[in-house]
Amino acid sequence: MATTAPAAADQPAPARLTRSPWHLLRQAAGSPPELARKALDFGLTLGRWADARALDARLARLHALGAIDQAPSRVQLVVGSLDMLRFWITPASADYYAQKGIDFTFHQILRVLDDPRSMIDPVGFFSDRDTIIGHLLQVVHANPCYDLQLLEAYERGLEELESQTAAMIAGTHPRARSIGAIVEDPDYHARLLAYVRAFRKDRDALAPVRENVAGNEAFHALERTFGTLPAAMRYFCRLPKTPWAAARHLVTVRAFPLDLAEPAPPSGPAAG
């Protein structure tokens, strides 16, 4: 990698682990004008769900870049988003915060107060560039590769992510105070910055997978399927295409369907 993350011992304890809940709530929410701006931004992001042309353009851009093999249908996009949320994002996050001794529900409240936009778009197709970057800075990702690949569809997406991550580390980012009320890992932004710089040089750079995912075999198929944008979209495209079949899938499929998972890479003598 281009950089190495400093040891956690070199970093001060984050506010998320040292301040009172009321202080964290105020810190994440910000001032009344900031709350008003967040409400407006939330409405704009919600409105993008109805902008079919913008979604088609985003998917076409990702396909042209080679980031996805095939674009899912609207029905597959909705069902895939819900599957990603219920089988991957929520369980892996709940497991991680339980290991950290952090109340998962309270953590989500802080995230909503900091930026409600990031909570309504699990796939990132309806968010603008800075919302995706803010989400990356706000959440210790199980695997940030998906989001970096998504940012390639935006002008200066990766460059801006690198700049804003460096600003978070320096304490000069405009949202440094509110994000500081959420991120519990003092080493996270340094790891993210190192990965962004490595990714910009080599798209196959090794992603920093979160420890609870890397160390838990139960999450491996999920991380392999949803951890990268191409694999996630391949999963989406395997899902039902009609509304009736999609509704039946959501009602009857209660656990991650391993038959639809991204296949494991072939093992051989070179793998070890």
Side-chain angles (χ1 to χ4, degrees):
M1 284 190 176
T3 63
T4 56
D10 296 334
Q11 303 294 326
R16 180 65 181 86
L17 301 180
T18 59
R19 306 308 295 265
S20 71
W22 285 113
H23 181 95
L24 294 172
L25 288 169
R26 292 193 300 269
Q27 188 172 329
S31 65
E34 287 173 328
L35 281 172
R37 176 186 54 76
K38 292 174 187 180
L40 176 60
D41 289 342
F42 177 84
L44 293 173
T45 299
L46 196 61
R48 292 192 184 99
W49 281 84
D51 192 343
R53 288 186 299 177
L55 175 61
D56 288 339
R58 183 74 45 77
L59 291 171
R61 169 75 171 158
L62 289 168
H63 185 268
L65 289 169
I68 61 175
D69 307 319
Q70 179 183 353
S73 69
R74 294 293 190 279
V75 171
Q76 289 173 324
L77 186 60
V78 171
V79 179
S81 299
L82 293 172
D83 274 7
M84 179 185 286
L85 187 64
R86 64 183 177 143
F87 295 140
W88 167 235
I89 297 174
T90 299
S93 296
D95 176 80
Y96 170 71
Y97 291 114
Q99 289 186 20
K100 295 289 186 182
I102 292 175
D103 184 274
F104 183 54
T105 300
F106 182 66
H107 199 76
Q108 301 312 301
I109 293 172
L110 293 176
R111 286 188 57 200
V112 169
L113 289 173
D114 175 52
D115 189 359
R117 297 173 298 178
S118 65
M119 305 294 289
I120 60 171
D121 183 15
V123 292
F125 289 158
F126 303 97
S127 300
D128 60 26
R129 183 193 69 184
D130 283 346
T131 300
I132 297 170
I133 292 174
H135 171 65
L136 268 164
L137 296 177
Q138 183 199 62
V139 176
V140 178
H141 274 57
N143 183 343
C145 183
Y146 179 105
D147 298 75
L148 267 65
Q149 291 169 332
L150 189 62
L151 281 171
E152 290 186 293
Y154 296 82
E155 184 177 355
R156 293 186 54 79
L158 294 174
E159 294 92 331
E160 187 63 23
L161 172 60
E162 180 178 344
S163 174
Q164 291 197 33
T165 306
M168 275 299 305
I169 294 171
T172 58
H173 193 282
R175 286 175 57 192
R177 188 171 184 272
S178 61
I179 290 175
I182 300 169
V183 176
E184 72 291 333
D185 184 344
D187 226 15
Y188 171 63
H189 292 121
R191 290 197 308 273
L192 178 62
L193 180 60
Y195 177 53
V196 175
R197 289 172 173 169
F199 184 92
R200 292 186 62 191
K201 294 180 178 179
D202 178 5
R203 297 180 77 254
D204 293 323
L206 188 64
V209 177
R210 199 171 58 206
E211 64 264 28
N212 78 303
V213 170
N216 188 337
E217 189 174 347
F219 288 128
H220 288 180
L222 286 155
E223 189 272 330
R224 193 168 63 242
T225 302
F226 296 119
T228 68
L229 183 59
M233 292 306 103
R234 284 193 288 268
Y235 174 86
F236 281 31
C237 289
R238 297 182 191 116
L239 293 170
K241 294 182 179 180
T242 65
W244 169 248
R248 184 172 56 192
H249 170 90
L250 291 173
V251 170
T252 62
V253 178
R254 312 299 296 182
F256 178 61
L258 288 172
D259 58 313
L260 300 181
E262 185 74 1
S267 59

